[in-house]
Amino acid sequence: MHISGIHHITAISGGPQINYDFYAKILGLRLVKKTVNFDDPQTWHLYYGDETGSPGTLLTFFPFENASPGKAGTGMASRIGFAVPGDSFQWWVDRISGKVSRFDPPSERFGNPVITFQDPDGLLLEITTLPMVEKLPGWATGDIPKEHSIRCFANATLLLDDGVETARLLQIMGYEPLQKDGVFQRFAAYGSSASSVSDAGGGGQASSGIVPAPFIDLHIQKTTVGRMGTGTVHHVAFRAENEEQQLQWRDALMKAGLRPTPVVDRQYFRSIYFHEPGGVLFELATDPPGMLIDEGMDTLGTALKLPPGLEQNRHWIEEHLPELTT
Ligand code: ZN
């Protein structure tokens, strides 16, 4: 059994409008689902992704208008990387540089160019290039042509004190260690990447129609414990092919000494959660049923969607959700 990559990443943001304006309008991701936090239905849960909300492209947010700012620290995912085609990198440098509060000029990591910048809540984001991602659909917006669109995650970076136990777990999950670059060590989902250092930075593979698997990068640095709040990542979810495989993984994780939760129904996937040994909250989410279960591709993300158990409270929920114009 091998995990085939990241399914989604979930973060906490401030107000939903600022979040939408940044991720949908500046980064050009498609808002593929407008729903609520099932455990706190007066809070939005916004899903961004490619044109169909494919696993490997999904970035989701719980926006809390009045929450305290968080701070990334050890035991947290500290950066989210997006992949664009090589020919589009400079286009993004030009686009992003004047639109964000922090912008680090282009540098190179693992042989690929990368820019690092902050979202409006201080969450660290990166844009880099991966081979063959131009074959992926992405999403076109008013001022971002489809050819330049963000295609998928490139990587998620975990900030850790030493990373030894986390590396061991990633290998149980089927990830292969690739090269190191300074304080970063890169792991590739099994079979998703040439492990050759010289191969364009060991970039992801994308045969037609298959989203390449984003890397997991360990950022090894002694630092203080993080504080969850706006501008921080809540968890990183990995892909399970189906519910049966998810249960097999649950057993395997328990045998490895971890404590996964029972399966939770998240409407668009089934989930189990566990803390990896370095402290980062991981989730294992099933690919099915996916974002198209309750609305068509043309109208994805346009209407408030509620799971059957909350539908009876729709009126109350609509009245209590913070304002959001999409
Ligand atoms: Zn999740």
Side-chain angles (χ1 to χ4, degrees):
M1 276 201 307
H2 303 285
I3 299 282
S4 60
I6 291 176
H7 183 284
H8 65 271
I9 299 174
T10 294
I12 299 166
S13 76
Q17 193 65 53
I18 294 171
N19 181 262
Y20 173 81
D21 289 347
F22 183 79
Y23 284 93
K25 294 184 181 168
I26 306 283
L27 294 189
L29 305 180
R30 184 176 193 186
L31 179 66
V32 292
K33 197 64 66 184
K34 262 199 314 194
T35 184
V36 297
N37 181 340
F38 297 167
D39 304 318
D40 174 20
Q42 51 188 311
T43 300
W44 288 104
H45 192 185
L46 304 177
Y47 288 67
Y48 303 92
D50 68 359
E51 64 181 12
T52 56
S54 316
T57 73
L58 290 168
L59 176 58
T60 95
F61 285 93
F62 294 123
F64 290 100
E65 205 103 43
N66 301 311
S68 316
K71 188 175 178 303
T74 192
M76 289 169 77
S78 55
R79 300 163 186 237
I80 298 170
F82 297 103
V84 299
D87 290 346
S88 300
F89 183 74
Q90 187 57 43
W91 189 91
W92 279 98
V93 173
D94 297 340
R95 178 177 178 81
I96 293 293
S97 53
K99 291 192 162 77
V100 290
S101 59
R102 170 185 162 182
F103 178 83
D104 299 350
S107 60
E108 203 170 277
R109 197 179 315 139
F110 297 110
N112 295 318
V114 58
I115 48 172
T116 304
F117 54 97
Q118 280 183 332
D119 87 349
D121 294 302
L123 178 61
L124 276 190
L125 304 177
E126 297 182 327
I127 288 180
T128 187
T129 68
L130 289 182
M132 298 173 82
V133 291
E134 64 277 3
K135 294 184 187 305
L136 296 171
W139 177 243
T141 67
D143 63 343
I144 300 179
K146 206 172 164 88
E147 59 179 301
H148 291 317
S149 63
I150 286 174
R151 302 304 211 275
C152 58
F153 291 125
N155 59 338
T157 302
L158 315 181
L159 186 53
L160 299 166
D161 268 355
D162 68 36
V164 174
E165 291 299 318
T166 303
R168 192 169 299 155
L169 171 65
L170 286 172
Q171 286 169 272
I172 290 172
M173 292 165 66
Y175 276 80
E176 300 175 305
L178 301 186
Q179 71 273 40
K180 285 186 180 161
D181 185 344
V183 292
F184 297 98
Q185 171 153 28
R186 175 155 281 189
F187 287 78
Y190 176 82
S192 76
S193 166
S195 9
S196 152
V197 179
S198 58
D199 176 30
Q205 167 197 339
S207 39
S208 57
I210 297 173
V211 178
F215 298 107
I216 298 294
D217 291 343
L218 307 189
H219 179 178
I220 307 303
Q221 189 179 55
K222 297 263 184 240
T223 181
T224 49
V225 173
R227 188 179 62 242
M228 207 61 91
T230 60
T232 58
V233 174
H234 189 263
H235 61 265
V236 177
F238 295 85
R239 297 174 67 175
E241 264 170 46
N242 50 45
E243 293 179 54
E244 188 189 351
Q245 197 199 61
Q246 183 180 54
L247 290 174
Q248 289 170 351
W249 270 113
R250 191 170 181 275
D251 287 343
L253 292 165
M254 285 197 288
K255 284 201 182 90
L258 296 155
R259 303 177 59 186
T261 64
V263 176
V264 184
D265 184 356
R266 294 302 185 199
Q267 178 75 359
Y268 307 104
F269 39 84
R270 310 284 177 269
S271 299
I272 59 174
Y273 301 86
F274 57 99
H275 282 97
E276 58 83 27
V280 184
L281 183 60
F282 279 3
E283 174 183 346
L284 190 61
T286 55
D287 280 1
M291 295 295 123
L292 296 168
I293 188 182
D294 59 0
E295 57 190 332
M297 164 138 163
D298 292 347
T299 55
L300 270 183
T302 54
L304 170 64
K305 290 293 167 184
L306 297 172
L310 290 176
E311 197 55 62
Q312 67 204 29
N313 304 325
R314 175 174 283 272
H315 187 65
W316 183 92
I317 290 169
E318 284 174 342
E319 279 189 341
H320 286 78
L321 280 171
E323 209 162 299
L324 172 61
T325 306
T326 58

